[in-house]
Amino acid sequence: MDLPLEEVKPTEKSRRVTVFKTKEYKPRESLITELFASSGEITVAYNFLAGVFVLFLLRALFDDVVNHGIPLYHLWLVGWNFAQLPSTLSVWSAMFFSTFVPYTMMKYWAHIPAKKVTALTESYMIVAYLAYLSAFFYFPLRFLFTSGLNCACSFIITCETTRIAMKVHSFIRENVPRAVERKTSGESIKPGEVSSWPSMEQFVYFMFCPAFIYRDEYPRTDSIDWTRVRAHALHVFALIEFVNLVFTQFVQPILSSWNPATVPLSENIIALFTFIPAGMICLVCLFYGLLHSWLNLFSELMRFADRQFYANWWNSSNMAEYYRNWNLVVHDWLYAYIYKDVAQLIGGRRGLSIAQTAVFFASAVFHEYWFGIAFRVFYPVMFMLYFVFGGIFYAVSRSISDRGVWNIAMWFNLLIGTGMFVAFYGQEWYARTRCAPFSNSLVDFVTPRHWACTEAH
């Protein structure tokens, strides 16, 4: 999520004009890659977490052999999560190939001459685009619910519908000006001539490269470093195992014996603090596994040279800096197509404020969409953390001038947030199987059962 900092310059009439930045791609390494090469501090942190991982793994292996008699028994959670991976990947393939529909339609539309282009004259294309997006989200979700996908495969569907839709939107938005210019230029493509429209190869490269802003060309490396590819792939699998160890060894044993019908509210609140270490480890694994290892893995395979996927979020001096630096890839998209668009549409300081709120809201909604569908609950923990508490914390952080105080406040917020996430979603997951549903189906859908649990018979 992003709370952009815009540059404001005075004009001759002393009016403040917002100058929006444009994303520029250039060759650069990820920050952690640079820190490994230049600083020993990051190596100490890496070695510490590697040591924790080894200890967790040894505990799991000992428990597997002694209590279950099956080596690697603890991998049951990984197997359960990815049991439907083949069918999930088949649907993902259909999702990807469906993007050729808007690409082809856009190309065809761009080459039809027109005297003028307005929203009214091209309303049929707008309706077609919205219809495509609706179908793009509907059919994968229908498959998800019909097949009863477990959590990890559900995340693949929901996250990929979001990612691919964002990519398609960027491609269209960045090429509409080019299409309008071509349509109104009066020029036509004669047989044998080559169009300047983005090629299918450029489109496919964009759909897979770790960038959310379309460009015809990106900076590329000279070759693929296969040693790096193997290292990043190993880290991805190791961090999946790390999260698996956290849940199978420390979270699931607590929740499996938890009875929401008899546990008092005070113990539910205490559980929030109990799960803070587990939540924090998962947060670090998510960051390093996804934003560093996974994106660098694809960058290396595709020779994508701009690897600035995040910045120094762990040492942020305010909330806006933290949200922006956590995920620069998504930040670029939010800035270009929500913040900038809303601010320009409304104008003035009011437009900037509404644009920031829109970014908060969009990020909160999609986080809740991912987690709510994966866990099959309407329990807007992520929405509250991002939109409500995130907004409040952002407002408060603007009054904190001491960088050290702010950094402590940021980590306090992250620790409490991760504890809430693991505790509340975990409790509701088990409550949905152990508590009797409310008599009204709508009330049962929107009300967490562990708030007022009556034991199911």
Side-chain angles (χ1 to χ4, degrees), residues 143-355:
F143 159 76
L144 184 155
F145 287 112
T146 302
S147 302
L149 297 186
N150 294 327
C151 293
C153 289
S154 294
F155 272 117
I156 292 174
I157 294 296
T158 55
C159 291
E160 282 300 284
T161 52
T162 306
R163 183 189 70 88
I164 294 174
M166 292 169 69
K167 292 254 191 181
V168 169
H169 186 74
S170 177
F171 178 81
I172 292 175
R173 282 295 311 278
E174 296 298 323
N175 284 290
V176 161
R178 177 189 299 186
V180 172
E181 182 180 0
R182 169 169 291 282
K183 287 176 70 69
T184 57
S185 66
E187 298 178 1
S188 60
I189 301 298
K190 298 178 181 179
E193 291 184 348
V194 178
S195 169
S196 60
W197 190 254
S199 66
M200 183 68 75
E201 181 183 0
Q202 289 172 315
F203 177 75
V204 171
Y205 183 87
F206 169 63
M207 294 305 295
F208 284 96
C209 77
F212 275 1
I213 306 296
Y214 176 80
R215 297 288 185 267
D216 286 342
E217 300 292 339
Y218 295 94
R220 307 280 286 271
T221 58
D222 295 330
S223 60
I224 298 175
D225 187 334
W226 290 103
T227 300
R228 279 192 171 191
V229 170
R230 288 188 290 270
H232 289 311
L234 177 62
H235 280 124
V236 169
F237 287 110
L239 289 165
I240 291 175
E241 168 67 347
F242 204 166
V243 173
N244 178 66
L245 290 170
V246 169
F247 274 89
T248 57
Q249 304 301 304
F250 301 99
V251 176
Q252 193 267 345
I254 296 175
L255 291 176
S256 62
S257 60
W258 172 76
N259 187 348
T262 59
V263 172
L265 177 63
S266 58
E267 291 194 24
N268 287 334
I269 296 176
I270 290 174
L272 185 157
F273 295 93
T274 302
F275 289 127
I276 283 177
M280 201 61 218
I281 290 176
C282 291
L283 180 71
V284 172
C285 289
L286 173 67
F287 163 70
Y288 194 89
L290 177 62
L291 297 177
H292 181 73
S293 297
W294 182 259
L295 294 184
N296 270 286
L297 171 63
F298 267 80
S299 293
E300 197 63 52
L301 289 172
M302 304 190 70
R303 295 170 43 221
F304 185 81
D306 191 341
R307 302 176 184 184
Q308 191 182 56
F309 308 125
Y310 54 86
N312 189 2
W313 59 266
W314 51 87
N315 197 30
S316 301
S317 59
N318 57 67
M319 194 67 178
E321 186 179 343
Y322 162 72
Y323 276 129
R324 180 173 61 251
N325 292 344
W326 165 259
N327 188 341
L328 294 177
V329 182
V330 173
H331 151 268
D332 294 335
W333 193 95
L334 291 171
Y335 180 89
Y337 307 123
I338 295 184
Y339 180 84
K340 182 179 176 181
D341 283 357
V342 172
Q344 290 180 327
L345 179 65
I346 299 174
R349 290 189 174 276
R350 180 169 172 267
L352 297 177
S353 298
I354 294 176

Side-chain angles (χ1 to χ4, degrees), residues 398-446:
R398 300 179 71 177
S399 64
I400 301 176
S401 57
D402 187 283
R403 186 181 184 93
V405 172
W406 153 250
N407 201 246
I408 293 173
M410 182 200 76
W411 280 105
F412 173 84
N413 184 54
L414 286 178
L415 291 168
I416 288 293
T418 55
M420 290 175 62
F421 167 75
V422 176
F424 292 165
Y425 276 120
Q427 289 170 353
E428 185 59 18
W429 173 271
Y430 280 91
R432 287 278 156 176
T433 60
R434 298 174 181 176
C435 299
F438 294 99
S439 57
N440 185 290
S441 59
L442 178 61
V443 173
D444 184 61
F445 175 73
V446 300

